Amino acid sequence: MMRKGETTVLSMQNNYKGPTEDFAMVVPVPIVLEEERVKVLSDEIFKRVDQMASPRLVEYWERDPCYVPPPRKRLKKKLRTKSMVVESAPPMPEPEDLGVTIEAEFDVGEYNVVILSAKESNGLETWLKLNEYNIPDGAAGVLKGYIEAGQYFFVAKVDIKKVKYDKS
């Protein structure tokens, strides 16, 4: 992170391990970012910064080779017959009813970016799920404070067709 006057530059490098198509990030931002202000940096820049800023003290540790994880407990499901009542889930609200506004939308590198504003956190959580962003249940609790502070949300999702894999 760098700051000069009222301008802040934040560079992030993800360390996600998993299916590429499942990767997305939601970052609160104070303003609606313009496409020209969002860049994808090369790994070389991050490697150089890491070399310059890395601590000179090194600690090595090793996992206990004899460690055996405890067995997992299995939950037994109780089955009910005939008297069981199945209630359907309430219908999902339409996206326009959720209080979420797309302030900007653009592609940068291999990312599809949207800048969102929201009126309430449950609506934002629902909007993200309806638009196939894999976020944990209960994310509304984390998002609430940012919405109350008037933040926008920088949401980036990987466009799998644009990803270049490192063959090394």
Side-chain angles (χ1 to χ4, degrees), residues 87-154:
E87 292 182 23
S88 63
M92 292 295 277
E94 293 297 316
E96 61 270 7
D97 297 339
L98 299 173
V100 175
T101 303
I102 298 174
E103 303 288 345
E105 190 170 13
F106 49 87
D107 292 342
V108 177
E110 65 266 21
Y111 298 98
N112 302 123
V113 176
V114 292
I115 309 294
L116 304 173
S117 62
K119 293 180 181 168
E120 59 99 14
S121 58
N122 288 330
L124 180 57
E125 179 180 5
T126 302
W127 187 95
L128 290 166
K129 288 181 178 185
L130 284 173
N131 286 277
E132 299 179 1
Y133 290 90
N134 293 328
I135 64 167
D137 290 333
V142 175
L143 300 169
K144 183 179 181 181
Y146 295 107
I147 292 171
E148 289 172 352
Q151 298 283 299
Y152 297 90
F153 296 88
F154 173 92

Side-chain angles (χ1 to χ4, degrees), residues 20-85:
T20 308
E21 58 275 3
D22 287 346
F23 177 79
M25 65 180 175
V26 178
V27 181
V29 293
I31 62 170
V32 175
L33 299 173
E34 299 167 1
E35 182 175 357
E36 304 80 44
R37 301 260 183 202
V38 179
K39 311 253 186 273
V40 175
L41 302 174
S42 72
D43 286 341
E44 289 304 314
I45 292 172
F46 288 101
K47 287 177 185 174
R48 181 74 179 132
V49 169
D50 190 45
Q51 286 174 342
M52 291 173 25
S54 65
R56 303 299 180 244
L57 177 64
V58 178
E59 177 181 351
Y60 295 97
W61 61 276
E62 182 176 308
R63 188 175 190 168
D64 180 0
C66 299
Y67 175 75
V68 177
R72 295 178 117 178
K73 293 182 180 178
R74 292 185 177 236
L75 298 174
K76 293 181 181 178
K77 292 183 180 179
K78 294 182 180 179
L79 298 176
R80 292 187 187 181
T81 58
K82 293 184 184 177
S83 64
M84 188 168 148
V85 176

